[in-house]
């Protein structure tokens, strides 16, 4: 095949530099624009103990896809996962998915890469795969390998889930600093999967709504609030073991074993597409918006505190004797102290899918969280929010997904899900 470098007559540095010049780099206030520009064109290592795209500092763009597996042949599924892994290892390093151009002397065959990312740098692309509960039905002989923690999420009050936008046998989260690179990656995985998987739904996201590293400035969601302040972050190594990564089975009767050794070093992914009633929110007073969230809009400080990263004090009361952070404020309901200390790593994105035909933006938050056990972490928090959060007047959950995220691919001989199969 013709490599990207040969096509453009550039060395690796030239490719990176040429691509970096074409990128619309978006640094946030408080971030160094030059460092950010270099970082946005860089490649994130693909091989490792954990999959990239979880604690990797959240990139600017998302293309998330859920697939239904259409083949009933286990060997074909394994073959697909091997091909996907090889393509992902290449694309995340800024190379094309497969050979570009005629392959094997068959000039009429379509190219092994769709071509729209030629000349672009890696752009921080990460590809993270997840296995949905339905993959463990009778089709592939995996029922005995299904982790207990992959049981379906319960129904939450107010859920308005659309089945065609929920679930999926497999998912891939593509994150990158350039939307063209993220879309290219998903498009090529779908192309490689033709005849074995079909796209169930996919979601584009722009503008991360979380920081997953202390080196990142906190972005804002479409409600205008800083989002990701009190998040689990890359640097919290000790807490990541407790709250993020599935640990090896130890046989202890503490409920922590989830019946799946193949998932050691992996995690669980929850997705919720949350539509915002943006126009209603925009007509709500600033004081009410801030009371609902429990933090100020400008600084992002919890009520009663001065700075964004000051720990909220939920005991502080105002002159009227009422709590400064309302009992039903989002941050109080979601705070670890309300749920026996549980935390999650949030990694969501803003979305605007055009308008809804009724003069309103079809916009919101594509919520993504990673945790060691969604039933012990996401579920209690979401239950409290669904029951009491005043934010519910302004949002609607329209899609939901739960996926077991296998550990990282160790080297070129390994593939996504090898330990499962
Ligand atoms: C915190 C917005 C949905 C869990 C926050 C904060 C904002 C926010 C502005 C404060 C800043 C921060 O610490 O990140 C929203 C919006 C949502 C939404 C607009 C829906 C459209 C959810 C959902 C969950 C969740 C579905 C999980 C079930 C949390 C958690 C925190 C948080 C755990 C941190 C609480 C703390 O430790 O202080 N959210 N959120 N949020 N949110 Fe949400």
């Amino acid at each position: 095949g013709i490599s990207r470098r040969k096509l453009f007559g550039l060395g690796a540095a030239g490719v990176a530099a040429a691509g970096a010049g074409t990128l619309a780099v978006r640094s946030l206030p408080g971030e160094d624009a030059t460092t950010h520009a270099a970082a946005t064109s860089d490649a994130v290592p693909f091989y490792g103990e954990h999959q990239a795209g979880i604690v990797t500092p959240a990139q600017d763009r998302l293309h998330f896809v859920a697939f239904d597996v259409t083949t009933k042949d286990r060997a074909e599924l394994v073959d697909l996962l091997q091909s996907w892994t090889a393509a992902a290892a290449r694309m995340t390093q800024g190379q094309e998915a497969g050979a570009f151009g005629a392959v094997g002397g068959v000039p009429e065959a379509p190219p092994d890469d769709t071509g729209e990312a030629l000349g672009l740098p890696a752009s921080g692309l990460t590809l993270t795969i997840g296995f949905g509960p339905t993959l463990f039905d009778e089709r592939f002989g995996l029922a005995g390998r299904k982790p207990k923690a992959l049981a379906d999420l319960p129904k939450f009050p107010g859920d308005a889930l659309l089945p065609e936008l929920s679930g999926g046998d497999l998912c891939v989260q593509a994150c990158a600093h350039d939307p063209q690179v993220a879309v290219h990656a998903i498009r090529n995985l779908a192309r490689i999967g033709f005849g074995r998987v079909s796209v169930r739904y996919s979601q584009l996201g722009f503008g991360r709504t979380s920081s997953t590293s202390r080196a990142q400035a906190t972005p804002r969601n479409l409600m205008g609030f800083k989002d990701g302040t009190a998040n689990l972050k890359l640097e919290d190594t000790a807490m990541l073991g407790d709250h993020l990564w599935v640990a090896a089975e130890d046989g202890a009767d503490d409920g922590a074993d989830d019946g799946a050794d193949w998932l050691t070093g992996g995690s669980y992914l929850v997705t919720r597409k949350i539509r915002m009633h943006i126009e209603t929110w925009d007509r709500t007073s600033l004081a009410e918006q801030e009371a609902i969230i429990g933090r100020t809009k400008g600084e992002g400080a919890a009520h009663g505190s001065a700075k964004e990263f000051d720990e909220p004090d939920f005991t502080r009361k105002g002159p009227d004797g009422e709590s400064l952070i309302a009992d039903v404020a989002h941050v109080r309901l979601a705070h670890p102290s309300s749920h026996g200390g549980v935390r999650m790593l949030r990694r969501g994105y803003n979305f605007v899918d055009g308008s809804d035909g009724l003069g309103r933006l079809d916009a919101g938050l594509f919520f993504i969280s990673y945790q060691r056990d969604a039933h012990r972490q996401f579920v209690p928090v979401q239950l409290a929010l669904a029951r009491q959060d005043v934010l519910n007047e302004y949002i609607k959950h329209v899609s939901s997904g739960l996926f077991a995220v296998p550990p990282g691919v160790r080297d070129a001989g390994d593939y996504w899900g090898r330990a499962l199969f």
Side-chain angles (χ1 to χ4, degrees):
I2 309 165
S3 84
R4 191 180 300 173
R5 268 171 222 147
K6 279 189 211 137
L7 268 175
F8 287 84
L10 295 169
V15 170
T22 67
L23 273 179
V25 173
R26 178 175 166 275
S27 57
L28 293 171
E31 280 177 343
D32 180 292
T34 323
T35 322
H36 189 74
T40 50
S41 62
D42 288 350
V44 175
F46 178 72
Y47 299 115
E49 183 184 358
H50 309 294
Q51 288 195 67
I54 304 174
V55 292
T56 306
Q59 304 92 322
D60 288 338
R61 305 291 187 141
L62 168 80
H63 192 185
F64 179 88
V65 66
F67 291 103
D68 291 326
V69 180
T70 49
T71 177
K72 292 194 166 51
D73 183 338
R74 181 179 163 122
E76 273 199 9
L77 175 58
V78 170
D79 184 66
L80 171 67
L81 291 168
Q82 289 170 339
S83 304
W84 271 1
T85 308
R90 287 194 294 270
M91 290 191 289
T92 54
Q93 303 311 299
Q95 297 154 6
E96 55 271 34
F100 183 83
V103 186
V106 189
E108 65 272 21
D112 276 353
D113 185 281
T114 49
E116 73 275 23
L118 286 169
L120 296 178
S123 309
L125 174 70
T126 55
L127 293 165
T128 314
I129 198 168
F131 301 145
T134 46
L135 192 72
F136 297 81
D137 60 18
E138 68 291 343
R139 285 172 296 169
F140 307 108
L142 296 173
R145 309 280 278 156
K146 183 176 175 180
K148 290 201 282 284
L150 197 56
D152 287 340
L153 295 176
K155 285 197 173 59
F156 298 100
D159 271 358
L161 306 183
L162 301 166
E164 66 275 20
L165 288 185
S166 300
D169 293 329
L170 299 168
C171 76
V172 180
Q173 171 201 276
C175 296
H177 294 292
D178 183 338
Q180 178 109 339
V181 170
V183 168
H184 166 262
I186 295 300
R187 176 177 172 190
N188 276 278
L189 296 183
R191 180 187 56 77
I192 292 167
F194 184 75
R196 294 176 285 185
V197 290
S198 66
V199 172
R200 186 176 172 84
Y201 62 92
S202 90
Q203 180 67 50
L204 288 176
F206 69 93
R208 59 184 171 92
T209 60
S210 246
S211 297
T212 52
S213 162
R214 296 199 189 287
Q216 294 184 296
T218 314
R220 291 180 187 272
N221 60 35
L222 289 184
M223 287 182 165
F225 279 76
K226 287 187 183 172
D227 203 343
T229 304
N231 201 15
L232 263 188
K233 292 186 178 150
L234 167 68
E235 294 81 6
D236 303 329
T237 18
M239 281 208 279
L240 298 183
D242 292 340
H243 300 285
L244 184 62
W245 306 125
V246 174
E249 311 270 283
D250 63 5
D253 189 21
D254 57 3
D257 288 356
D258 49 20
D261 247 346
W262 62 267
L263 202 54
T264 304
S267 191
Y268 287 92
L269 163 60
V270 172
T271 62
R272 305 283 289 185
K273 182 172 181 176
I274 308 175
R275 171 93 190 263
M276 290 175 178
H277 307 308
I278 294 227
E279 293 77 8
T280 318
W281 180 256
D282 291 345
R283 289 193 295 269
T284 304
S285 73
L286 176 62
E288 193 172 341
Q289 292 184 359
E290 293 184 329
I292 291 169
I293 298 291
R295 288 181 177 271
T296 59
K297 201 167 187 176
E299 168 66 22
H303 297 313
S305 305
K307 303 300 272 176
E308 181 192 350
F309 292 104
D310 292 349
E311 190 50 37
D313 181 351
F314 294 110
T315 62
R316 214 170 277 173
K317 298 199 187 314
D320 56 0
E322 297 290 326
S323 297
L324 286 179
I325 302 175
D327 290 348
V328 289
H330 183 76
V331 295
R332 184 192 285 269
L333 294 170
H335 195 266
S337 60
S338 303
H339 304 282
V342 300
R343 291 170 193 274
M344 60 190 84
L345 184 138
R346 287 171 289 137
R347 211 180 193 288
Y349 286 84
N350 298 317
F351 72 85
V352 177
D353 295 346
S355 52
D356 66 358
L358 299 168
R360 299 176 302 206
L361 290 177
D362 186 351
L365 167 69
F366 192 74
F367 174 92
I368 292 178
S369 69
Y370 286 91
Q371 50 269 300
R372 186 174 165 176
D373 183 340
H375 289 271
R376 289 163 167 253
Q377 294 163 265
F378 172 81
V379 170
V381 174
Q382 176 52 23
L383 207 50
L385 295 178
R387 284 180 177 150
Q388 289 182 278
D389 197 349
V390 189
L391 204 51
N392 292 328
E393 288 179 24
Y394 305 91
I395 61 174
K396 187 166 71 173
H397 287 234
V398 296
S399 109
S400 178
L402 171 66
F403 300 90
V405 174
V409 175
R410 295 305 181 121
D411 51 42
D414 193 7
Y415 65 92
W416 274 335
R418 182 182 47 79
L420 169 61
F421 290 90

